[in-house]
Amino acid sequence: MEDDMDIDDLFGDGAGLPLPSQPPPKELFQRLDELRRSGCCQTIAWSKWGSIASIPADGAALEFRSLRCHPRDGTWSLSDPTIFAQSFPSPEGGLLQHLSWSPNGCDLAVVDAAGRVSILTIQTAMNKPSFSRSSQMDTLDELNAVVGSYWLNLLPVSQRPPLIHRQAVKSGTAYSYDMSQAVSIGPCHPNPQKSALINITASGVLRLLWPQGDAKWYETTSEIETIVSSDDLITHASICAEKTNTLLVAFATTTKQLRLVRVIIKWGNKAPDKEKPMAPAQIIINPQIMLRHLAVTNWMDGIESPDSFHMQPSMVALSHLTILPPSPDGPDGHSTLPTILTVRSHLPTSPSHYNQDTHSIVDRWELREAPQAMHPAFEQLNSRRSSAGTQPGSAVLLKKIDGFSVGKVIIAIESIAFDRILCVSYSDGSIEYRDRSTLSELFMDGGLDSFSHISQLGFSFDDDEPCLQVAMSPTSCSAVKLCTNGKLRWKAIAYQTGRVMAPADEAQYMAIVAGLAMSCSTAIMGSVSHDDLLAIARTSISLPTFRFDWLLEICRVLKFVVDYSEESHHDTLIRNPSIQLCLSIQNSLGFNGINATRDFGAKIAWIGLQTRNCVVLMTMASSMKIPDPEQQRKLSGLEDAEAVRILSGSVRWCFDLMAYLVDCLLHPADGSIFKALTDPSAQVDINEVNNRLQASHNMALHLLLSSATRGFLTVICRRLTHLDYIARKTMSVAAQNEAAVQQHQQQDPHGVNPPQISADLTAAYSCIATLTDRAIVPVRTFETLLAGLSSSIREAYASTDLVTASSATQQGAEKSRNGVEQAMLFGGALPEALIPALRHLFTSLLPSLRSDVEPSQLFFHNFDILAMGDDDDDDDDDRDHDASAAEHRPHGGARRGFIVDIFQRLPIALDPHGLASELQGQRWRRCARCAAVMEDVHSRKPAVAFLIMQQRRCFCGGYWLVLNENEMIA
């Protein structure tokens, strides 16, 4: 019998006992005490623009960071902190303890422990704030401590609010997207670009801070609660907007009362005149605040036993109070009601590893209206009188509904996705997404037919490092966490279900593409930074087709139009922001570092974005009119020597681009790539041509065939022709004036000389004229090529099945043509329908151009100013040139010791350490998205300042980071 005994019967199944959990760190106890004392103690905040502000441990300064793409290898991470410690009050009034960004993304409220408020404004760079309101004007009083803070929603600029992508529903092999309008509710500042700040103090005072048209901040107050003892002090407060253009204020007192107040703001400004609209800066307001108490309850109501766990000392103190505004997208199509959430958390007091009972309880109350019935005695009283009584109005009450509990400590809870989803953060580093109505967690349940958030597709946070605070990104797809060691750490949501290998996992692959496209489209429609989504997209799916498919899906969700083949003036093209958005995403996804070669699609985007920027600069310089008091007239930007000098860099860059494109067509790296196109009798295999173009990174055909980039090139030719005309006219008039002055001095040596054109302006235009004369490809020749190619493409489109005589199919043809244009713009395959246009290009247009171009100039020209990042081995060894001469062909870029200032289009020499060697002491801006660089230049000249103002954001649409002195990396 002993032989039959199994060892597992004696000692069990062999499974090891679980190790006891680690006790909570002491920093968590301190953080929970802070949350219980005040509802405003958030020391990390992530703005709509992408700037991350934080208060260090000493509480005496601010640190600004940003998510940025590293120029070395294209990876995304947090930038180093930029410390801002100017003009904050002395620590005697309390340390800085709360941060809150406005919905416009540029105003930051900084609150200290005494309730004094400073407001900082960001204008050009995310780490370069300036004071717009100093807290020195606020009085020092502990009762003024802020326990609740809220920025008003922005006034919609247009009558058409943005769309919300609520849900993706599978329809066949593709997804359709349910959409609704995001209506801005609640009172709004009359200026659509400004918001107002509301603070609730511990003494029950509501403070309204608002900016006037002169950019100065003003204040008005109103008492919402009379404080007669310390039991009446307010500990937590939360504010939300309501449908009736009012605010709802929920606040908790030390006596465990939960009160609700309605706030009405009357701005006191003049009614807008539709015929003569007033400029936002001219709007003068004088707001008044009116209050109405709605309901009161006790947030400890519902506890059955006084001896229960809920009555422990740690559970009778709130750590969070949040009021959620009504949402139009509730269950069963009904709108949700305003909801109050409270959080109570418990931490064990014993340092033992055992019996670590950690809990958080979330309670909910809904704001409901109930009709009030008149007492029968009053009805009898009214029956004896001739006048009829009025029915009382509805009563407002707080109805407690089911909440939830969890065995973790909640350190943050906020609503996202237009208040449809709750994002709950825990002290163990985990983050959950929960449905606002049911409070159920959003899991991947295996169904791909419909979803509302990417967390339902297998995306989640895999971080297990404990943290004390969390700030979600504008897209709510990544977070910055304050760890127990006091350091900030960025963590993005990631795909956790395994590696997707299409076409084996085609259904899952298409769902991920649709989910990320819906998240990015929602961010674009909300005008918030989506840089973290670019970082997620780079690492989520490694399939080579993912980036292309994602771009196409974004365009389909947002209904972007990139077909401009029928447009001749190109005004709509230049003003179309969707082109910039698409090219910016495309460029970011294919950027691998300034020393690495960009992928095929990123090259197209890089050139397209810079060409568009050159068009904008030249157009703005020629169209702006600047008042000149001395000459008593308005001067054009082209009459300023410094502005013209800056434009000369763009002129040089454009001429190099035209030469580069012609060189790629006449002397491709793959000598046989265009052989079939040059022979009219040969049959063209368009698939082979596409494969060879991709392999050799020759994107010249895509830039010329895509109507968007071809339109930019056409406008560039017209602007260059215009500048050349003005340059020669200026030089001619300057020569005539100089001759007239000399003649006048001979006739009247003591007389007043006639007005002259300045020597600086003449020299600037002389530079442009010289660039035009020395251009390898003449402007007229290149413009003729573009015009002939555009005509051939229109004929090719007309001769295919894309266009028919039926108006019903005309819309379908335009949609199909737009799809073809999108594919070419994003680096996809050239369509077979354009083979006739390609034959015309290589058999007629290019031979005509060849006679006006000197091949040796193309061969020996240095194209480094284009900053393509081409490798010598890729571009030279296989070129259709002499092999020995190819070794000496000039190339360069960042790896050759310089980078390019994308504003002035000048090379910046770098020393061996990667610093700007020629301009020591200068400060630079670097784009957080594409890593482009420009000098942080300032000018008192109106024309130059206007051009610099056009560079408030990078040409790719990303935001700038100002680098420290003598540094080139943020």
Side-chain angles (χ1 to χ4, degrees):
M1 184 173 179
E2 294 179 357
D3 297 338
D4 297 334
M5 181 178 293
D6 192 350
I7 192 67
D8 291 338
D9 296 335
L10 182 61
F11 296 102
D13 57 0
L17 294 175
L19 293 175
S21 59
Q22 292 291 332
K26 63 177 182 179
E27 293 84 2
L28 182 58
F29 285 90
Q30 297 172 356
R31 176 59 184 165
L32 196 54
D33 289 340
E34 294 175 357
L35 292 173
R36 290 166 178 166
R37 284 195 301 264
S38 173
C40 281
C41 53
Q42 181 71 19
T43 60
I44 315 172
W46 200 329
S47 78
K48 183 179 178 179
W49 286 6
S51 178
I52 302 171
S54 62
I55 301 174
D58 59 9
L62 287 180
E63 294 179 349
F64 288 88
R65 295 173 175 85
S66 175
L67 191 63
R68 59 99 171 96
C69 177
H70 201 289
R72 182 184 63 251
D73 52 10
T75 57
W76 288 84
S77 60
L78 283 181
S79 64
D80 294 334
T82 300
I83 300 176
F84 183 85
Q86 301 177 10
S87 302
F88 282 112
S90 58
E92 61 188 17
L95 304 178
L96 303 179
Q97 74 169 20
H98 185 72
L99 301 174
S100 177
W101 285 100
S102 67
N104 61 12
C106 61
D107 292 328
L108 174 66
V110 184
V111 184
D112 66 10
R116 295 178 294 183
V117 181
S118 300
I119 296 181
L120 278 64
T121 301
I122 288 179
Q123 296 178 346
T124 57
M126 290 189 291
N127 60 343
K128 190 179 180 180
S130 59
F131 274 102
S132 57
R133 183 189 189 274
S134 175
S135 60
Q136 300 286 353
M137 62 183 67
D138 294 337
T139 58
L140 182 60
D141 190 348
E142 292 183 356
L143 293 179
N144 289 335
V146 177
V147 296
S149 183
Y150 176 78
W151 285 94
L152 298 184
N153 293 327
L154 295 178
L155 184 69
V157 178
S158 61
Q159 298 297 326
R160 185 178 181 182
L163 297 177
I164 305 173
H165 298 93
R166 300 183 302 171
Q167 192 177 31
V169 180
K170 193 172 185 179
S171 177
T173 58
Y175 281 87
S176 60
Y177 302 90
D178 293 339
M179 294 183 295
S180 62
Q181 291 184 342
V183 181
S184 181
I185 59 176
C188 303
H189 193 286
N191 187 341
Q193 300 174 355
K194 296 294 183 180
S195 179
L197 178 66
I198 292 182
N199 288 333
I200 307 295
T201 68
S203 59
V205 176
L206 185 149
R207 297 178 60 193
L208 174 64
L209 303 175
W210 80 91
Q212 204 67 270
D214 56 1
K216 295 182 180 179
W217 287 78
Y218 298 85
E219 176 183 354
T220 186
T221 61
S222 180
E223 189 178 77
I224 62 174
E225 184 74 1
T226 302
I227 305 299
V228 295
S229 68
S230 60
D231 292 337
D232 299 325
L233 292 177
I234 299 175
T235 60
H236 297 76
S238 180
I239 309 168
C240 77
E242 223 267 331
K243 295 180 180 179
T244 57
N245 287 332
T246 61
L247 298 174
L248 295 176
V249 180
F251 60 92
T253 66
T254 55
T255 55
K256 302 178 182 56
Q257 285 190 342
L258 181 62
R259 292 180 174 271
L260 188 66
V261 176
R262 188 184 301 277
V263 178
I264 302 173
I265 300 178
K266 292 187 176 181
W267 296 102
N269 59 308
K270 296 181 180 179
D273 189 353
K274 296 182 179 180
E275 297 181 357
K276 296 180 180 180
M278 186 179 299
Q282 298 176 347
I283 298 177
I284 300 177
I285 60 176
N286 184 22
Q288 295 180 351
I289 302 174
M290 293 178 289
L291 305 174
R292 178 190 172 192
H293 289 261
L294 298 180
V296 60
T297 187
N298 190 302
W299 52 262
M300 287 297 294
D301 285 347
I303 305 302
E304 298 179 358
S305 172
D307 298 328
S308 66
F309 163 78
H310 302 275
M311 295 305 296
Q312 294 185 14
S314 61
M315 297 305 291
V316 294
L318 295 181
S319 60
H320 292 85
L321 171 64
T322 302
I323 182 169
L324 305 177
S327 174
D329 302 322
D332 302 327
H334 300 290
S335 60
T336 58
L337 298 174
T339 307
I340 297 176
L341 300 178
T342 62
V343 179
R344 294 176 291 144
S345 298
H346 169 73
L347 282 175
T349 57
S350 172
S352 171
H353 287 273
Y354 304 98
N355 300 323
Q356 298 297 315
D357 193 4
T358 301
H359 280 83
S360 289
I361 299 176
V362 177
D363 297 315
R364 289 193 299 170
W365 289 264
E366 278 188 349
L367 176 61
R368 297 183 180 181
E369 294 184 358
Q372 299 185 87
M374 183 180 294
H375 194 275
F378 289 97
E379 294 180 357
Q380 295 176 5
L381 180 63
N382 288 333
S383 65
R384 301 174 185 175
R385 300 180 179 179
S386 58
S387 61
T390 58
Q391 272 309 107
S394 300
V396 178
L397 55 89
L398 292 174
K399 175 65 176 177
K400 189 170 185 179
I401 58 178
D402 293 337
F404 74 94
S405 62
V406 63
K408 304 177 182 179
V409 174
I410 296 177
I411 58 174
I413 182 169
E414 61 178 290
S415 61
I416 62 174
F418 298 95
D419 303 302
R420 293 182 293 111
I421 298 175
L422 293 180
C423 184
V424 186
S425 305
Y426 300 98
S427 61
D428 62 353
S430 60
I431 298 176
E432 293 177 352
Y433 298 98
R434 292 178 176 266
D435 183 83
R436 179 232 173 105
S437 300
T438 64
L439 294 183
S440 59
E441 189 176 355
L442 300 181
F443 287 109
M444 181 183 179
D445 53 7
L448 302 177
D449 293 336
S450 65
F451 55 87
S452 58
H453 194 264
I454 59 175
S455 59
Q456 296 172 290
L457 300 175
F459 285 85
S460 63
F461 290 90
D462 60 353
D463 194 5
D464 58 355
E465 183 178 355
C467 60
L468 304 176
Q469 293 190 49
V470 172
M472 299 300 296
S473 70
T475 65
S476 302
C477 291
S478 68
V480 169
K481 303 180 180 182
L482 176 63
C483 301
T484 55
N485 58 5
K487 296 182 179 179
L488 292 185
R489 185 167 177 262
W490 172 67
K491 190 66 178 180
I493 198 171
Y495 187 67
Q496 307 291 343
T497 315
R499 191 173 182 181
V500 176
M501 298 296 294
D505 305 319
E506 183 177 0
Q508 184 71 20
Y509 172 76
M510 294 304 299
I512 293 175
V513 171
L516 290 176
M518 186 171 66
S519 298
C520 187
S521 302
T522 301
I524 292 174
M525 293 299 296
S527 300
V528 302
S529 172
H530 53 274
D531 286 350
D532 59 334
L533 284 174
L534 300 179
I536 294 171
R538 283 178 63 95
T539 57
S540 296
I541 306 297
S542 58
L543 293 173
T545 59
F546 170 72
R547 300 171 182 177
F548 180 76
D549 293 338
W550 188 43
L551 276 169
L552 290 181
E553 190 68 13
I554 291 174
C555 289
R556 193 173 73 86
V557 175
L558 297 177
K559 298 180 175 59
F560 281 166
V561 176
V562 300
D563 176 27
Y564 292 90
S565 56
E566 300 294 334
E567 185 175 347
S568 58
H569 298 290
H570 305 291
D571 293 336
T572 308
L573 170 64
I574 299 174
R575 294 186 175 92
N576 187 358
S578 61
I579 300 292
Q580 183 190 33
L581 280 169
C582 294
L583 294 179
S584 178
I585 295 174
Q586 181 179 347
N587 176 66
S588 176
L589 294 179
F591 176 70
N592 301 309
I594 57 176
N595 290 333
T597 302
R598 302 174 189 270
D599 70 9
F600 189 78
K603 280 189 174 183
I604 298 175
W606 177 253
I607 293 298
L609 287 169
Q610 295 196 80
T611 307
R612 178 184 181 274
N613 191 47
C614 289
V615 171
V616 171
L617 281 179
M618 294 180 185
T619 304
M620 291 297 179
S622 59
S623 61
M624 65 177 171
K625 300 296 181 181
I626 304 169
D628 187 357
E630 296 181 359
Q631 302 188 24
Q632 297 182 354
R633 67 183 183 92
K634 292 185 177 181
L635 301 179
S636 169
L638 298 181
E639 296 180 67
D640 186 278
E642 184 66 17
V644 175
R645 185 194 63 79
I646 292 175
L647 289 181
S648 64
S650 297
V651 170
R652 180 187 298 106
W653 186 91
C654 292
F655 279 125
D656 278 10
L657 174 62
M658 291 188 295
Y660 179 83
L661 295 177
V662 172
D663 189 33
C664 290
L665 295 178
L666 295 181
H667 312 108
D670 186 351
S672 60
I673 188 173
F674 302 133
K675 186 175 181 180
L677 295 172
T678 58
D679 186 1
S681 61
Q683 187 173 358
V684 179
D685 185 354
I686 195 64
N687 293 328
E688 182 181 358
V689 173
N690 285 317
N691 293 334
R692 291 193 172 188
L693 288 175
Q694 294 274 355
S696 60
H697 280 237
N698 191 332
M699 74 323 179
L701 276 184
H702 285 74
L703 288 170
L704 294 176
L705 294 181
S706 172
S707 60
T709 51
R710 188 175 67 253
F712 289 142
L713 292 172
T714 302
V715 179
I716 281 292
C717 291
R718 296 172 183 174
R719 298 294 184 269
L720 291 177
T721 303
H722 179 65
L723 283 176
D724 181 62
Y725 169 78
I726 295 180
R728 299 186 186 281
K729 185 73 173 178
T730 302
M731 295 168 62
S732 174
V733 172
Q736 294 175 5
N737 289 351
E738 185 178 359
V741 168
Q742 293 178 357
Q743 182 179 1
H744 179 77
Q745 290 179 348
Q746 293 177 358
Q747 297 175 355
D748 187 5
H750 303 287
V752 180
N753 294 327
Q756 286 184 288
I757 298 178
S758 67
D760 293 338
L761 183 61
T762 304
Y765 276 118
S766 176
C767 178
I768 291 181
T770 302
L771 290 172
T772 306
D773 292 336
R774 296 179 179 178
I776 300 176
V777 180
V779 179
R780 295 294 185 185
T781 302
F782 195 77
E783 188 175 7
T784 302
L785 173 72
L786 295 176
L789 184 59
S790 298
S791 178
S792 299
I793 291 175
R794 284 193 293 267
E795 293 176 1
Y797 280 145
S799 61
T800 61
D801 296 335
L802 295 177
V803 178
T804 62
S806 173
S807 60
T809 58
Q810 180 73 21
Q811 295 180 356
E814 292 177 355
K815 184 178 180 180
S816 300
R817 193 171 62 219
N818 187 56
V820 170
E821 290 286 344
Q822 287 178 356
M824 290 190 294
L825 182 64
F826 300 152
L830 300 179
E832 190 173 358
L834 294 185
I835 291 181
L838 291 173
R839 285 193 181 276
H840 180 65
L841 172 65
F842 284 95
T843 59
S844 177
L845 298 177
L846 279 178
S848 299
L849 179 141
R850 190 187 293 268
S851 60
D852 295 335
V853 176
E854 178 60 39
S856 62
Q857 291 183 334
L858 285 176
F859 177 75
F860 288 106
H861 191 71
N862 190 322
F863 295 111
D864 291 339
I865 197 69
L866 300 179
M868 297 294 292
D870 291 333
D871 196 339
D872 293 344
D873 296 336
D874 295 336
D875 293 339
D876 292 334
D877 293 349
D878 296 328
R879 294 181 64 91
D880 190 19
H881 290 305
D882 182 72
S884 61
E887 297 179 0
H888 304 285
R889 183 181 175 87
H891 278 273
R895 70 179 68 197
R896 297 297 183 263
F898 70 87
I899 55 177
V900 178
D901 184 327
I902 58 97
F903 175 53
Q904 303 184 64
R905 306 286 172 182
L906 297 175
I908 305 170
L910 301 178
D911 61 18
H913 301 287
L915 303 178
S917 57
E918 296 181 354
L919 301 174
Q920 292 291 337
Q922 296 287 346
R923 300 194 68 174
W924 304 91
R925 304 180 192 174
R926 188 178 285 278
C927 177
R929 181 180 299 173
C930 72
V933 173
M934 69 169 285
E935 183 183 353
D936 189 27
V937 61
H938 303 276
S939 177
R940 295 181 179 273
K941 295 185 177 180
V944 180
F946 183 81
L947 292 180
I948 296 174
M949 187 174 61
Q950 307 309 310
Q951 306 296 316
R952 291 189 302 268
R953 296 174 65 174
C954 178
F955 64 85
C956 74
Y959 291 94
W960 294 109
L961 290 171
V962 174
L963 309 180
N964 294 328
E965 187 174 338
N966 296 327
E967 290 188 4
M968 299 303 294
I969 296 178

